[in-house]
């Protein structure tokens, strides 16, 4: 009792000390705030200057709500916008309530020409005042008016007004934008082009960006200039440039309309009017240490200049990546394809293409191609460090190191070796009633050989010389996984895969060979007890081979820059079926089970997944995104249970955001609250998920979102250990989890930082509360997720 009394007294004194310190800290903070608040934000403004405090209003008159009008207005508003001091995320009107930077600027201005702490605070913590003269609204109005003209609003006008504040040294700006009536394109004629050039124009007239009835736009005129230049350069006119095209516009023939003539510029050089053919190709290879070429290798239609005993790359590798041939018309697109293919090899610091006339005669119509390339360093190393946290209270650091030998055996391929490792410990020290110890780790290594082209056992010239990216990968790997208090597993295997495209929108991935072997080296009593209670789980995690083949196709029209973007990916996997046929050829029946490969049973299943994503740009920066995905895996024959790594799960930051990862399903099944590791069962053979999200701008680079998520996973077969997990039409609607929520997205162009708050509307399992909305407490149905990138 005496000891307890002393402990109690000590605790009381500690609380009192903390209370006094807290009050003192509050008083200090309050004093600092009051002192700063008493500071002026305009005391040290230059004579005659006014502090800019943002845009009060942008008044739009005669607003054009067509897509062309919306684009024009966005450009005009961007030209007029300027953030004031202490702006919130770049907004031109919203500001943080405490202008600390201005307070410090005015309070420490006297230290500007001195040394010491005051000067440091002034330089590093003060904010120079944004003045009306800095914003220069008169110039911005002129720029905005010119933008209206560029978009065809010839009668449009932009004006501004300074709005004084209570402090006469402060002012806001108000802009008035009058879009008036836009001009439209009437007739469009291409005149005065030579016969060959005119025939090219007429053959591609439908591809013109200038259409009768469209809004007149200077930007469209520039696009048409670029289109004509590419058209001519793709048909031999090497020296043709966009500026060699000009326009004549007549606005008097028809009120509100522009009659347009597209004509060649006067004084075009003679060489720009002539078609050229490809001549000799010479390649100059410089070593990565700057070694200049000292020897020459002459091949058919190609000469290679190099240093050393032999060229640093095999001639055939270079030839496969050049899409032009001697004697054909110069083609800018083929030049671009060749440059991209050479760059994708990743072995050169640079590769410069130069075209020179074969001779100086006026009749010359051939261009020699000189390619100057310098080898990059032959080795590339990369070290990555990370810290991982998981929903199972596991946390810990990880690291990976990779070493790549570029241009392996002069084949243009990369030979890469990677080693990685991580360890984790339980952050919840109450588990098992003992203290935290390092209890899990993972080690792995892999060796891969990657080619930037297709390596096929047969010749397919058309496929191999595709202008689109191609890739072939051969990989071997081995991983050691230790889950303390559960099991220790060794996995190893290898893959051969091909990636290729036949068009800008379709991509294909074929994995004709994927072999993986998982073996449980040891298990704990706890894991054994879980396995006894759930035999299906034991089978999915047991020793087995996974011999599989995969095919995936992807459609993505984002490169076409359409308003409505569509992405669709479907994948098919077949495991163990070819192996089963081989066994059948040697007398093993197809229906016979427990057949073994290297003394371990092999998995046999069919799997299909499909996902569709759409992005619809409603207006301006308002977008509606949607996703529908599903998958099914059917294990049969040699193994009636699919491997655990191949099964589906749901929930989390990129799924149903009102629920954490692996906290749903299968079906209406839900592990008991006291089953700490019940999540290990929450996988299924079938998955369905649907998401819709409305994204809208708030201010500056900050965007908002509201979303609705639904889905779950189910079992194909009934399991006693997971009641309610099987998919049935009777309980289908009830077993769909539903959640909504709101989110923020901060778009840095190269990175999107996302914060989502999910709100559960329906849990597919029994929560003790009746009705469709069966969340016992509102706070229990909230899920907060911080993530990088969009969820889909």
């Amino acid at each position: 009792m005496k000891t307890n009394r002393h402990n109690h007294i000590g605790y009381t004194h500690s609380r009192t000390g903390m209370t006094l310190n807290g009050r003192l800290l509050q008083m200090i903070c309050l004093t600092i705030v009051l002192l700063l608040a008493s500071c002026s934000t305009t005391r040290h403004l230059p004579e005659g200057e006014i502090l800019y405090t943002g845009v009060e209003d942008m008044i739009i008159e005669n607003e054009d709500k067509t897509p062309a009008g919306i684009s024009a207005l966005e450009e005009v508003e961007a030209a007029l916008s300027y953030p004031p001091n202490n702006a919130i995320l770049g907004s031109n009107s919203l500001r943080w309530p405490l202008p600390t930077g201005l307070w410090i600027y005015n309070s420490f201005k006297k230290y500007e020409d001195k040394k010491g702490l005051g000067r440091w605070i002034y330089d590093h913590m003060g904010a120079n005042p944004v003045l009306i003269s800095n914003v220069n609204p008169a110039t911005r109005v002129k720029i905005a008016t010119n933008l209206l003209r560029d978009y065809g609003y010839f009668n449009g006008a932009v004006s501004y007004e300074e709005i004084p504040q209570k402090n006469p040294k402060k002012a806001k700006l108000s802009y008035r934008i009058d879009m008036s009536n836009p001009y439209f394109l009437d007739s469009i004629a291409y005149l005065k082009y030579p016969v060959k050039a005119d025939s090219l124009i007429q053959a591609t007239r439908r591809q013109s960006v200038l259409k009768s009835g469209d809004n007149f736009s200077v930007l469209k005129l520039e696009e048409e200039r670029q289109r004509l230049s590419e058209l001519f350069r793709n048909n031999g006119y090497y020296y043709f440039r966009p500026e060699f095209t000009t326009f004549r516009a007549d606005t008097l023939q028809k009120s509100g309309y522009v009659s347009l003539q597209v004509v060649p510029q006067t004084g075009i050089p003679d060489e720009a009017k002539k078609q050229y053919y490809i001549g000799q190709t010479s390649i100059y290879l410089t070593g990565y240490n700057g070694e200049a070429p000292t020897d020459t290798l002459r091949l058919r239609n190609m000469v290679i200049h190099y240093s050393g005993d032999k060229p640093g790359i095999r001639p055939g590798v270079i030839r496969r990546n050049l899409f032009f041939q001697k004697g054909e018309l110069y083609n800018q697109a083929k030049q671009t394809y060749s440059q991209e293919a050479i760059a994708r090899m990743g072995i050169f610091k640079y590769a410069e293409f130069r075209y020179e006339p074969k001779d100086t005669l006026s009749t010359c119509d051939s261009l020699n191609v000189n390619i100057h390339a310098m080898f990059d360093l032959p080795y590339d190393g990369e070290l990555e460090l990370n810290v991982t946290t998981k929903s199972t209270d596991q946390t810990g650091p990880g690291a990976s190191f990779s070493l790549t030998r570029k241009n392996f055996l002069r084949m243009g391929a990369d030979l890469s070796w990677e080693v990685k490792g991580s360890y984790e410990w339980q952050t919840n020290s109450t588990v098992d009633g003992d203290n935290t110890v390092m209890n899990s780790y993972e080690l792995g290594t892999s060796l891969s050989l990657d080619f930037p082209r297709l390596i096929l056992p047969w010749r397919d010239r058309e496929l191999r010389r595709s202008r689109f990216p191609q890739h072939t990968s051969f990989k071997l790997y081995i991983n050691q996984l230790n889950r303390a208090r559960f099991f220790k597993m060794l996995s190893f295997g290898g893959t051969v895969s091909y990636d290729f495209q036949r068009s800008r929108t379709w991509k294909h991935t074929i994995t004709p060979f994927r072999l993986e072997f998982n073996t449980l080296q040891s298990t704990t009593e706890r894991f054994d007890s879980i396995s006894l209670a759930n035999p299906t789980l034991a089978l999915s995690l047991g020793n087995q081979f996974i011999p599989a083949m995969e095919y995936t196709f992807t459609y993505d029209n984002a490169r076409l820059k359409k308003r409505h973007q569509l992405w669709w990916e479907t994948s098919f996997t077949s495991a163990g079926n070819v192996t089963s046929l081989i066994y059948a050829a040697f007398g093993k029946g197809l229906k016979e089970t427990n057949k073994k490969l290297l003394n371990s049973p092999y998995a046999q299943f069919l799997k299909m997944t499909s996902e569709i994503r759409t992005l619809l740009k409603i207006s301006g920066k308002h977008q509606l995104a949607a996703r529908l995905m599903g998958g099914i895996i059917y294990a049969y024959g040699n193994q009636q249970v699919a491997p655990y790594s191949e099964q589906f799960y749901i929930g989390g930051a990129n799924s149903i955001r009102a629920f954490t990862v692996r906290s749903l399903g299968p079906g209406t099944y839900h592990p008991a609250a006291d089953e700490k590791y019940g999540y290990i069962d929450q996988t299924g053979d079938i998955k369905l998920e649907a998401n819709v999200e409305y994204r809208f701008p708030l201010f500056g680079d900050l965007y908002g979102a509201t979303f609705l998520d639904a889905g779950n996973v189910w079992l194909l077969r009934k399991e006693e250990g997971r009641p309610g997990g099987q998919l049935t039409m009777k309980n289908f609607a009830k077993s769909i989890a539903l959640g909504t929520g709101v989110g923020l997205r901060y778009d840095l162009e190269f990175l999107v930082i996302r914060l989502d708050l999910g709100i559960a509307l329906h849990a597919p399992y029994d929560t003790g509360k009746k009705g469709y909305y069966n969340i016992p407490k509102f706070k229990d149905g909230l899920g907060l997720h911080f993530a990088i990138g969009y969820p889909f």
Side-chain angles (χ1 to χ4, degrees), residues 470-487:
Q470 300 177 342
H471 184 257
T472 303
S473 176
F474 302 90
K475 184 176 182 179
L476 296 173
Y477 62 89
I478 182 169
N479 292 311
Q480 175 73 74
L481 176 65
N482 180 74
R483 285 290 175 257
R485 306 171 185 171
F486 286 100
F487 59 84

Side-chain angles (χ1 to χ4, degrees), residues 13 15 51 170 223 338 384 393 541 595 614 634 638 677 783:
H13 284 190
R15 287 190 60 189
L51 182 68
K170 295 181 180 180
E223 285 185 39
S338 300
E384 291 186 3
D393 293 329
L541 281 167
K595 295 188 290 287
T614 63
Y634 175 63
N638 199 52
Y677 298 93

Side-chain angles (χ1 to χ4, degrees), residues 19 132 297:
T19 302
I132 291 290
L297 176 63

Side-chain angles (χ1 to χ4, degrees), residues 38 56 139 220 239 267 330 351 505 533 563 606 630 668 698 763:
S38 65
E56 182 171 282
T139 300
K220 290 292 184 181
Y239 291 101
Y330 166 79
T505 54
R563 182 180 178 186
L606 293 174
T668 60
L698 293 176

Side-chain angles (χ1 to χ4, degrees), residues 352-419:
E352 182 181 7
F353 285 60
R354 302 175 185 173
Y355 291 81
E356 299 176 355
K358 183 179 179 180
D359 54 54
T360 58
L361 300 177
S362 60
T363 57
C364 176
D365 64 353
S366 294
L367 296 172
N368 290 334
V369 186
N370 298 323
I371 303 175
H372 295 262
M374 181 177 183
F375 283 103
D376 201 353
L377 294 174
Y379 289 96
D380 186 16
E382 183 175 349
L383 175 64
E384 291 186 3
L385 303 174
N386 60 75
V387 176
T388 302
T389 60
K390 299 182 179 180
S391 59
T392 54
D393 293 329
Q394 297 273 348
T395 186
S400 65
F401 174 75
S402 62
L403 182 65
T404 301
R405 175 60 168 94
K406 301 178 182 178
N407 195 22
F408 180 65
L409 297 181
R410 301 190 302 129
M411 298 186 298
D414 290 342
L415 180 66
S416 300
W417 172 68
E418 180 183 19
V419 59

Side-chain angles (χ1 to χ4, degrees), residues 475-538:
K475 184 176 182 179
L476 296 173
Y477 62 89
I478 182 169
N479 292 311
Q480 175 73 74
L481 176 65
N482 180 74
R483 285 290 175 257
R485 306 171 185 171
F486 286 100
F487 59 84
K488 187 176 183 180
M489 175 182 286
L490 181 69
S491 301
F492 60 87
T495 61
V496 178
S497 62
Y498 299 93
D499 294 333
F500 61 93
Q501 292 181 227
R502 302 303 298 268
S503 69
R504 296 176 66 187
T505 54
W506 288 95
K507 176 185 176 182
H508 305 268
T509 302
I510 299 176
T511 303
F513 176 83
R514 175 167 72 90
L515 182 62
E516 180 178 344
F517 178 63
N518 297 328
T519 176
L520 278 175
Q521 296 173 296
S522 61
T523 62
T524 65
E525 293 183 2
R526 170 176 293 189
F527 181 80
D528 293 339
S529 64
I530 295 175
S531 299
L532 289 175
N534 193 338
T536 303
L537 175 66

